[in-house]
Amino acid sequence: MSVALSPPGFLAKNRLGKLGLDRGLQIAGVVIGILFLVVTMVLPLYAILSKSVENKDGDFVGWTNYLEYASNPSLLNSITNSFTIAIITTVIVISLALMTAYALTRTCMPFKGVVRVLVMGPIFAPSLLPAISLVYLFGNQGVLKSWLMGESVYGPIGIVISLAFWCFPHAVMIITTALSNTDARLYESARALRTSPIRTFFTVTLPSIKYGLISASFVVFTLVITDFGAPKVIGGQYNVLATDIYKQVIGQQNFQMGAVVSVILFLPAILAFTVDRWVQRKQVSLLTARAEPLVPKKNPLKDNVMLLLCLPVIITIIGVLGMAVYASLVTFWPYNLELSFNNYQFDLMDGGGWEAYYNSLEMGLYTALFGTAIIFTNAYLVEKVPGINGLRTLLHLGAMIPLAVPGLVLGLAYIFFFNSPSNPLNSLYGTLAILVICTIAHYYTVCHLTAVTALKQIDSEFEAVSASLKVPFYVTFWRVTLPVCLPALLDIFIYLYVNAMNTVSAVVFLYSSNTMLASVAVLNMDDAGDIAPAAAMGVLLMFTCIGIKLLHWGMSHLLLERTQRWRNRSAT
Amino acid sequence: MTFKKLFSGLLAAGAMTAATAAMAGTELTVYTAFEAEDLKRYAKEFNKQHPDIKINWVRDSTGIVTAKLLAEKENPQADVVWGLAATSLLVMKNEGMLSPYAPKGVEALSPKFRDNDATPSWIGLDAWIAGICFNTIEAEKHNLPKPTSWEDLTKPVYQGHIIMPNPNSSGTGFLDVASWLQMFGEEKGWDYMDQLHTNIARYTHSGSKPCKLAAAGEAPIGISFAYKGAKLKKKGAPLDVVFPKEGLGWDMEAAAIVKGTDDMAAAKKLMDFAASREANVMYNVGYAVVAIPGVAKPVQYYPENPEAMMIDNDFAWSAANRSAILKEWQGRYDSKSDPKN
Amino acid sequence: MSRSYLTIKNVHKHFGDFVALKDISLEIQEGEFVCFLGPSGCGKTTLLRAVAGLDMQTEGEIFQSGKNISWLPPEHRDFGIVFQSYALFPNLTVAENIAYGLRNQKVRRADIRNRVDELLTMIGLPDSGKKFPSQLSGGQQQRVALARAIATKPGLLLLDEPLSALDARVRLHLRQEIKSLQRQLGVTTIMVTHDQEEALSMADKIVVMNQGVIEQIGTPEEIYSNPATRFVASFVGTMNFIPAQREGNRVRVGTREMSCRGHHNLQSEHQGEMNIAIRPEDFRVRYNGDATNTLRADVRNMEFLGSFVRTELDLDGVGDPVVADFSMNDVRDMNIQVGGELMLDLPENRLHLFEH
């Protein structure tokens, strides 16, 4: 191992002295990056693992807790439930997302721009909001209750609909990318060979987006199986793994069993993660081939049929989000339908009041700022520092861990790790800082991959050129790398901001009275039965995120126009 | 909220305490499950007597506050717990997390409302009484008679119309289950719950939610607690608060000093206030039964003499059997929980 | 005699088990233009990167103007570098790119401006300072990269396949420009290329590499007319290899004895199966009556290539066909045509001998 880490003759003692300050800085940076991931991911996860094999007094008891878990039929039942929900939701989401993405990329459907914007809607709200909206639509006082033909929305039906709704944009994004990366020449060949459109779909389209579909499936699967908000709000008596953790920890203060369920929840997430990584690798090699972009041609019949097919999806999105907005404005559902802002008087409710909202704004800002800085710097070190391959690979692999860790598990792990009195970082506990750190860690991987992709597109010889010009690497980082990656940086920033605003699972165990968050307030208000105020806070979060996104959009345009003039013709 | 606040955690603990101490008088971190709307009022009353002590509330539902306290056992963050279920404080006492202290005037409290040790580890503040929230409009729609007893709730007519809190996640839910077991005896108690279970539409995580759902017409009947029902009725919800005639389960909101507080003097001042007559008058605004006998005035929508309807609750028994009861409950109702039945 | 400017001594480079460079030793004189030539994967770029300090050698030493730079990081060495991809900073203007290294050397602003203007003029882009790289053509971008590399007046200029990404015409043009610029500045230059024409036309000295070792070092003329190894012979230019038998100092092709007297390769001890090698343009078709080194040939195929005709011939007693280039005059005068027959002269001073 040590041989692999240090190429012989490179770090040998008598030569180290000549390595120079730059080199030292780079190696120190990589080491600090690894330490950051160790402290924010590895050690907390170790804490939760060890907790699961301890008894209440902290003595090692081996598999006892796991055996106890296995002997409890209601807990075991949750595993089946979680998988059932995850599989059904994945199938529904992928089918609908495939159809929508197809319409968006392969047809000249009317109102395409509007549809493109609308399908992203659910991403701006916490997963609790569609669930709350469903209560108003299909609950016992719901306006569309009859549509369920006597079935209750509280249970698997409600969970599946809300999570399908919430995961939809994620799937559409991945599949749209896959569909846009297909080679037009394949379709020209198919047409020249007089292949029927349906056969073309099955022999050309599907195989070419195979990996995109697999990847999207596993992303949705992981989101569903680890989500906690929707089953909490609308799950009724239908227990899933994520709510079990919450019940064990919050309801029964049984941390050991909470840790056991966490470890179990970890397994499908790791599986999904592994498959997804494998698929990503395959996909990359597929994309390196030079392809002609496909430009859809007008075909009135096909275009209108696709619009018609997409209509239910669009109506659902408008309906669910619209209902949430409406419900938040109704004075006292269902007895007083007068509209008012009563439900927005958060200071009169449980759940932290307006302070929670301001905290969320602040937490989002810090998460986005520090997260972007830390993640991009680490990605730069992984991608652009020469040599020390072992350490850099370690940093890169470390950056992949968070994707496999459910937020709830991470949050619980943080309690165990950071609140231990023997931990010198103990004073972080209960501060806004720990929420920021936890959220950065939770959303680390996607940002890291975005940064790495952007960095890979930069000429790999910039660092060599600056070294030859005797310009220190950090000057080039500042003058060239950062400005060139500005669009990616903005993307990471906005991704972190929106997710920090909406995350529940990672922070539900970590907030304190001073650091109450709006997303948690939605959960707590719903929990206390204040459903309308919960909807109001959720709607507020959604509009805030849309606002931030618009701001981001405007800023990117301005910035790109002013600082990225050089982009007007592609560099290669 | 400042930049400084974010990094306060990153600063050395020593530097921090020094900074905060230099800023104002004394600050107490108080963990509580009091209703959010009461917090400002309570702090204001306390500050009338002690303007130099600032209360930093950490408020959450009973389950979460308890979980937090237990999770922080090795390194307590709270100085005082003011307004948490006595059942939870009993658990903390058993874990050795409380610092016993006899507040001034503790002798005035009803014996029910204090820890029985010579120097009590905790004191009760007011009683948290079970109650049924009954939505009259929805009842009319479904032709439901108004129940008057716990027994009534098992009648087939109520099938699918009752919501109650899950004792695994809600203190109120556990209070209900524990009281039935004490009132009816263990065997009959479980029989009762078996029958009740067939009528339950769903179990909620929170104790106040069934009442709020009843108020919103999601279900005609919510097993909850009186305080919430009275509050919602006052706000105009079409509710009747029913007090079943067999007797009412109850828990106390209680207070205690957390062992390891770094400001014992201020913590004692707060405990003294919590046990005082002024404080009892203050609790009486929402709660019909308070710790000092004779203080309470009738509260709107409560029965005339609620104390008489309260069962003789054995908190020690509840605390001791808590895990066993929850496990049994889970085995009976959670595993076959299916939204359809 | 100028003394050696860059000395490479016994340099090895391993990537795991793979040996990329094996015992490379080389001396480069001040002001010399040296080409590392070889097929991809031969180690030429690895050697260049070792000289630059970008990928350090596993073993061995490198001296630049007498100083041991073997283990110095690139920023402590003295060189400028140009890559195939240009590696121009896309967000900086052409002028900013050229000034990039100067800014860091605490040069006065006015001096920087003058130097940049001077360089812009030198590369023939005096008015492009304010443009961004993406607004220039590939050839122009590579000139800017060159200007950036020489802006700080380095002692050594490294060019890593600088012309490979350009189209043929621009490449030809830039070839001459780089060469004349180098001569004008007198900067010692190493260029890595896989294009033998480029190496032959530009270099003062060519280092032919294959599979991590140096096959031959010499002037372009030496490399072309006296290839030291079979690899060099086949990699540089076109070469016919004709199976032959050697006994003592006599060499036979089929049944005919060939005279190879005086050829240096005849000094080797190797006996038996050999190859006689001859370039297409070295065949002579004008029969002078002397029967030594003459073979009868059938014309299989002819390909008109403008100034000459490439002809495929079957030689008597030789299995595989050979390729010969004849001038248009020869073709006309000797009436060479497909299906015809001719007597082919293999001049003894143009013959090479290689082991199999």
Side-chain angles (χ1 to χ4, degrees):
Chain A
M1 185 67 185
S2 64
V3 178
L5 283 178
S6 50
F10 195 84
L11 290 176
K13 244 183 201 164
N14 58 336
R15 290 158 186 171
L16 194 61
K18 296 179 186 168
L19 281 180
L21 179 68
D22 287 12
R23 193 80 194 130
L25 265 176
Q26 289 176 338
I27 295 173
V30 174
V31 171
I32 290 171
I34 293 173
L35 278 179
F36 175 82
L37 287 170
V38 165
V39 170
T40 58
M41 290 302 310
V42 180
L43 292 179
L45 287 178
Y46 174 75
I48 208 167
L49 266 178
S50 59
K51 199 79 171 180
S52 75
V53 291
E54 282 173 5
N55 64 12
K56 259 194 158 71
D57 299 321
D59 305 320
F60 180 79
V61 293
W63 293 103
T64 314
N65 294 329
Y66 288 88
L67 292 175
E68 196 187 327
Y69 179 87
S71 71
N72 187 332
S74 79
L75 288 178
L76 276 183
N77 208 13
S78 302
I79 300 183
T80 328
N81 287 353
S82 276
F83 272 88
T84 312
I85 292 288
I87 292 167
I88 296 175
T89 311
T90 306
V91 170
I92 294 175
V93 169
I94 297 302
S95 324
L96 291 176
L98 175 59
M99 184 187 78
T100 312
Y102 187 85
L104 286 175
T105 51
R106 296 297 174 79
T107 70
C108 296
M109 180 173 77
F111 307 112
K112 213 156 96 175
V114 182
V115 175
R116 200 185 291 277
V117 172
L118 270 178
V119 295
M120 286 301 128
I123 227 169
F124 296 110
S127 69
L128 300 144
L129 193 66
I132 290 173
S133 182
L134 286 186
V135 169
Y136 286 102
L137 286 169
F138 300 111
N140 292 339
Q141 295 293 334
V143 285
L144 303 174
K145 182 174 162 34
S146 58
W147 288 23
L148 289 181
M149 292 173 294
E151 295 290 328
S152 169
V153 75
Y154 298 103
I157 298 180
I159 305 179
V160 168
I161 303 178
S162 3
L163 286 178
F165 181 86
W166 184 63
C167 298
F168 183 69
H170 295 268
V172 172
M173 277 195 284
I174 298 171
I175 300 176
T176 303
T177 312
L179 278 167
S180 336
N181 283 330
T182 308
D183 196 341
R185 284 171 300 197
L186 290 175
Y187 290 88
E188 284 158 6
S189 315
R191 278 188 71 179
L193 294 167
R194 293 167 192 241
T195 319
S196 75
I198 290 173
R199 187 149 174 256
T200 308
F201 180 82
F202 281 102
T203 53
V204 180
T205 310
L206 267 188
S208 69
I209 58 166
K210 182 173 59 184
Y211 294 121
L213 283 179
I214 298 176
S215 178
S217 304
F218 279 97
V219 166
V220 172
F221 182 87
T222 315
L223 281 175
V224 172
I225 210 162
T226 59
D227 183 71
F228 153 76
K232 179 86 170 53
V233 169
I234 206 162
Q237 299 328 112
Y238 198 78
N239 293 327
V240 294
L241 288 169
T243 46
D244 274 357
I245 297 181
Y246 188 75
K247 266 198 260 177
Q248 289 294 336
V249 173
I250 301 297
Q252 302 176 22
Q253 291 92 48
N254 189 342
F255 297 103
Q256 290 71 29
M257 202 49 76
V260 168
V261 187
S262 296
V263 173
I264 290 168
L265 185 58
F266 205 2
L267 298 179
I270 287 181
L271 175 78
F273 164 82
T274 316
V275 174
D276 186 58
R277 290 321 310 155
W278 174 77
V279 165
Q280 292 287 340
R281 202 165 301 156
K282 290 261 174 183
Q283 205 168 25
V284 166
S285 60
L286 198 77
L287 284 180
T288 46
R290 262 176 200 268
E292 282 285 306
L294 183 79
V295 181
K297 294 189 182 71
K298 266 202 162 37
N299 177 347
L301 181 69
K302 183 181 169 194
D303 296 346
N304 286 316
V305 166
M306 283 318 285
L307 180 65
L308 217 61
L309 285 173
C310 286
L311 219 52
V313 171
I314 298 158
I315 291 172
T316 306
I317 290 173
I318 297 174
V320 169
L321 294 181
M323 189 66 210
V325 176
Y326 174 66
S328 76
L329 295 172
V330 166
T331 309
F332 195 102
W333 186 274
Y335 303 112
N336 180 357
L337 296 182
E338 235 171 87
L339 299 186
S340 72
F341 280 103
N342 282 359
N343 294 318
Y344 287 83
Q345 297 177 333
F346 299 125
D347 283 335
L348 298 181
M349 328 270 176
D350 286 354
W354 279 96
E355 179 77 14
Y357 175 71
Y358 302 134
N359 281 347
S360 272
L361 285 179
E362 200 182 353
M363 203 274 269
L365 183 66
Y366 290 139
T367 303
L369 267 178
F370 292 103
T372 309
I374 292 170
I375 296 169
F376 189 83
T377 309
N378 281 351
Y380 171 83
L381 293 169
V382 165
E383 207 43 50
K384 297 292 181 188
V385 167
I388 50 170
N389 294 331
L391 282 178
R392 288 190 299 130
T393 310
L394 208 62
L395 185 56
H396 185 62
L397 288 180
M400 292 295 132
I401 305 175
L403 196 61
V405 183
L408 214 53
V409 176
L410 190 66
L412 197 56
Y414 268 43
I415 300 191
F416 294 151
F417 179 65
F418 284 102
N419 197 37
S420 153
S422 55
N423 188 331
L425 296 170
N426 174 274
S427 54
L428 278 176
Y429 190 71
T431 62
L432 197 62
I434 199 170
L435 297 176
V436 170
I437 293 171
C438 183
T439 311
I440 293 174
H442 186 194
Y443 295 105
Y444 195 101
T445 309
V446 173
C447 302
H448 174 78
L449 292 174
T450 309
V452 165
T453 309
L455 286 163
K456 271 196 201 299
Q457 285 166 354
I458 298 184
D459 196 305
S460 56
E461 306 294 3
F462 282 176
E463 282 65 33
V465 166
S466 1
S468 80
L469 297 171
K470 305 197 185 342
V471 176
F473 76 95
Y474 46 84
V475 173
T476 303
F477 177 75
W478 183 250
R479 279 196 71 197
V480 180
T481 315
L482 271 185
V484 170
C485 290
L486 195 62
L489 283 168
L490 282 172
D491 284 347
I492 295 171
F493 186 91
I494 204 75
Y495 175 86
L496 284 173
Y497 206 126
V498 168
N499 278 302
M501 293 287 285
N502 286 328
T503 186
V504 176
S505 55
V507 293
V508 74
F509 294 124
L510 294 176
Y511 68 92
S512 69
S513 62
N514 291 326
T515 58
M516 186 73 204
L517 297 173
S519 53
V520 179
V522 177
L523 180 80
N524 286 352
M525 286 193 281
D526 173 81
D527 204 18
D530 295 322
I531 304 180
M537 187 68 98
V539 166
L540 189 63
L541 278 176
M542 179 176 76
F543 281 122
T544 307
C545 289
I546 292 175
I548 293 166
K549 179 71 196 175
L550 286 176
L551 206 69
H552 162 238
W553 184 78
M555 250 175 61
S556 311
H557 266 243
L558 261 178
L559 268 174
L560 288 186
E561 225 157 77
R562 282 184 50 191
T563 66
Q564 315 270 304
R565 268 191 303 144
W566 49 271
R567 261 181 220 279
N568 52 14
R569 235 179 75 184
S570 97
T572 44
Chain B
M1 298 294 270
T2 58
F3 203 74
K4 201 171 145 199
K5 186 171 146 195
L6 170 76
F7 283 102
S8 61
L10 293 167
L11 297 170
M16 224 192 69
T17 26
T20 42
M23 250 172 356
T26 315
E27 296 194 24
L28 280 178
T29 302
V30 178
Y31 278 31
T32 185
F34 279 142
E35 293 293 310
E37 58 200 57
D38 291 336
L39 294 184
K40 274 183 192 152
R41 185 161 58 89
Y42 287 8
K44 209 170 136 195
E45 289 293 327
F46 172 68
N47 285 138
K48 274 185 193 162
Q49 293 185 16
H50 301 284
D52 53 325
I53 302 174
K54 185 172 177 277
I55 293 181
N56 288 326
W57 294 108
V58 175
R59 199 212 94 80
D60 224 311
S61 67
T62 308
I64 293 180
V65 174
T66 311
K68 236 178 153 55
L69 283 162
L70 290 175
E72 293 164 1
K73 182 180 165 185
E74 305 296 326
N75 183 31
Q77 308 288 310
D79 295 305
V80 176
V81 180
W82 184 23
L84 188 64
T87 333
S88 296
L89 287 184
L90 269 169
V91 175
M92 288 179 70
K93 184 188 169 191
N94 291 341
E95 299 276 338
M97 293 169 67
L98 299 182
S99 179
Y101 168 65
K104 270 180 220 153
V106 68
E107 58 286 344
L109 304 183
S110 150
K112 266 195 235 173
F113 282 84
R114 53 165 289 183
D115 182 16
N116 287 330
D117 292 356
T119 309
S121 287
W122 53 267
I123 57 158
L125 313 171
D126 50 50
W128 183 264
I129 313 170
I132 298 172
C133 298
F134 182 72
N135 185 316
T136 49
I137 295 180
E138 296 303 313
E140 208 167 307
K141 262 192 219 164
H142 294 100
N143 256 330
L144 302 178
K146 184 168 158 179
T148 57
S149 64
W150 293 117
E151 206 57 51
D152 280 353
L153 294 181
T154 61
K155 289 181 182 162
V157 66
Y158 296 117
Q159 190 164 354
H161 290 309
I162 304 174
I163 294 181
M164 79 166 274
N166 184 331
N168 277 301
S169 45
S170 152
T172 312
F174 180 70
L175 170 161
D176 292 326
V177 171
S179 71
W180 292 328
L181 290 174
Q182 290 184 60
M183 267 190 293
F184 303 142
E186 282 211 39
E187 200 177 318
K188 280 194 176 159
W190 287 114
D191 278 353
Y192 171 74
M193 282 184 263
D194 285 348
Q195 291 173 43
L196 182 64
H197 179 64
T198 58
N199 282 351
I200 296 283
R202 68 183 150 121
Y203 297 99
T204 64
H205 295 295
S206 124
S208 57
K209 195 172 186 179
C211 195
K212 289 184 182 168
L213 290 179
E218 270 293 300
I221 297 172
I223 299 175
S224 186
F225 51 94
Y227 173 89
K228 201 83 235 173
K231 272 263 154 82
L232 285 163
K233 191 175 166 82
K234 215 173 186 171
K235 278 188 188 164
L239 283 184
D240 273 350
V241 189
V242 175
F243 297 92
K245 60 187 179 201
E246 293 98 329
L248 303 176
W250 60 284
D251 199 344
M252 281 174 278
E253 296 204 290
I257 298 175
V258 178
K259 193 178 272 177
T261 170
D262 42 24
D263 199 337
M264 190 51 105
K268 284 180 173 169
K269 278 181 194 159
L270 179 57
M271 286 298 285
D272 291 344
F273 174 76
S276 69
R277 181 166 282 271
E278 293 91 325
N280 273 265
V281 171
M282 176 178 92
Y283 306 141
N284 187 225
V285 172
Y287 294 88
V289 180
V290 296
I292 304 180
V295 169
K297 293 197 183 98
V299 177
Q300 203 185 3
Y301 308 126
Y302 274 80
E304 291 273 309
N305 184 4
E307 207 161 352
M309 298 182 73
M310 281 159 50
I311 64 162
D312 195 9
N313 202 351
D314 185 347
F315 288 105
W317 178 85
S318 299
N321 293 293
R322 190 164 182 268
S323 314
I325 294 171
L326 290 179
K327 205 171 171 187
E328 176 71 25
W329 191 93
Q330 217 177 8
R332 279 174 185 253
Y333 312 120
D334 225 10
S335 60
K336 58 171 180 175
S337 63
D338 187 11
K340 270 182 251 172
N341 55 352
Chain C
M1 197 61 204
S2 58
R3 70 191 177 90
S4 163
Y5 177 73
L6 188 81
T7 307
I8 297 170
K9 269 191 188 162
N10 308 102
V11 161
H12 292 252
K13 172 80 184 179
H14 307 278
F15 293 107
D17 287 338
F18 176 71
V19 180
L21 293 176
K22 199 162 125 195
D23 200 15
I24 300 285
S25 293
L26 178 67
E27 296 206 341
I28 294 172
Q29 309 304 318
E30 185 145 19
E32 224 173 0
F33 193 121
V34 176
C35 271
F36 294 171
L37 174 67
S40 57
C42 72
K44 56 191 190 298
T45 299
T46 311
L47 185 56
L48 185 88
R49 293 180 73 88
V51 170
L54 296 170
D55 287 318
M56 301 236 189
Q57 66 280 15
T58 317
E59 259 179 68
E61 289 179 311
I62 301 172
F63 297 86
Q64 186 175 1
S65 58
K67 186 175 152 198
N68 187 344
I69 58 163
S70 312
W71 307 108
L72 287 182
E75 56 269 28
H76 292 175
R77 301 189 184 194
D78 177 23
F79 70 96
I81 192 162
V82 174
F83 291 102
Q84 177 180 352
S85 62
Y86 328 134
L88 291 177
F89 304 128
N91 60 322
L92 304 182
T93 62
V94 166
E96 285 168 332
N97 262 288
I98 296 175
Y100 199 78
L102 298 169
R103 254 183 62 152
N104 207 53
Q105 294 186 340
K106 298 191 177 101
V107 183
R108 288 217 331 260
R109 252 166 213 284
D111 292 345
I112 292 181
R113 210 175 309 129
N114 291 339
R115 176 78 178 140
V116 169
D117 285 344
E118 181 191 339
L119 285 160
L120 280 171
T121 313
M122 195 187 286
I123 60 170
L125 296 168
D127 303 319
S128 298
K130 290 210 170 86
K131 286 186 184 164
F132 286 105
S134 61
Q135 293 166 309
L136 301 180
S137 72
Q140 290 171 325
Q141 290 190 51
Q142 197 56 296
R143 274 181 243 179
V144 175
L146 190 65
R148 179 179 65 183
I150 57 178
T152 51
K153 298 184 178 161
L156 180 63
L157 179 61
L158 304 177
L159 310 171
D160 186 4
E161 305 245 10
L163 305 172
S164 304
L166 304 171
D167 36 6
R169 282 191 49 195
V170 182
R171 203 182 311 173
L172 262 160
H173 186 66
L174 206 52
R175 221 193 250 174
Q176 292 156 13
E177 268 187 53
I178 291 177
K179 180 66 193 161
S180 72
L181 198 66
Q182 187 266 343
R183 232 179 249 139
Q184 189 187 329
L185 299 170
V187 57
T188 314
T189 302
I190 301 176
M191 179 169 95
V192 161
T193 181
H194 64 268
D195 182 333
Q196 38 144 331
E197 247 186 69
E198 224 168 85
L200 291 172
S201 67
M202 294 171 80
D204 298 324
K205 191 153 92 186
I206 296 178
V207 178
V208 185
M209 296 179 67
N210 185 37
Q211 294 181 339
V213 299
I214 295 179
E215 295 269 345
Q216 187 175 6
I217 304 174
T219 63
E221 209 274 328
E222 282 166 355
I223 298 282
Y224 190 79
S225 38
N226 280 319
T229 65
R230 192 193 158 94
F231 170 80
V232 177
S234 62
F235 187 75
V236 181
T238 312
M239 185 71 89
N240 291 297
F241 292 92
I242 303 165
Q245 285 284 326
R246 175 178 177 187
E247 283 154 24
N249 280 348
R250 293 182 312 177
V251 180
R252 276 187 297 114
V253 173
T255 51
R256 292 207 75 116
E257 189 160 316
M258 309 295 281
S259 159
C260 303
R261 264 173 303 126
H263 191 273
H264 64 94
N265 278 359
L266 208 58
Q267 259 77 77
S268 97
E269 295 299 307
H270 188 79
Q271 297 284 322
E273 297 285 322
M274 297 281 290
N275 271 325
I276 286 182
I278 180 166
R279 294 202 183 274
E281 68 271 26
D282 288 338
F283 287 110
R284 278 192 207 136
V285 73
R286 295 177 188 264
Y287 180 56
N288 59 4
D290 179 4
T292 35
N293 289 14
T294 302
L295 294 168
R296 202 190 63 84
D298 294 316
V299 181
R300 276 172 67 132
N301 203 0
M302 293 173 74
E303 191 182 359
F304 175 64
L305 289 172
S307 58
F308 65 96
V309 175
R310 178 146 289 187
T311 317
E312 213 178 290
L313 305 160
D314 279 325
L315 293 183
D316 253 6
V318 178
D320 295 323
V322 297
V323 172
D325 294 342
F326 299 124
S327 71
M328 282 312 292
N329 286 334
D330 285 342
V331 173
R332 271 193 294 268
D333 297 355
M334 308 306 295
N335 191 24
I336 301 171
Q337 54 190 354
V338 177
E341 186 192 302
L342 43 89
M343 295 304 284
L344 216 52
D345 191 15
L346 284 62
E348 66 173 356
N349 59 344
R350 297 293 163 85
L351 291 182
H352 313 278
L353 273 177
F354 296 108
E355 299 165 16
H356 271 291

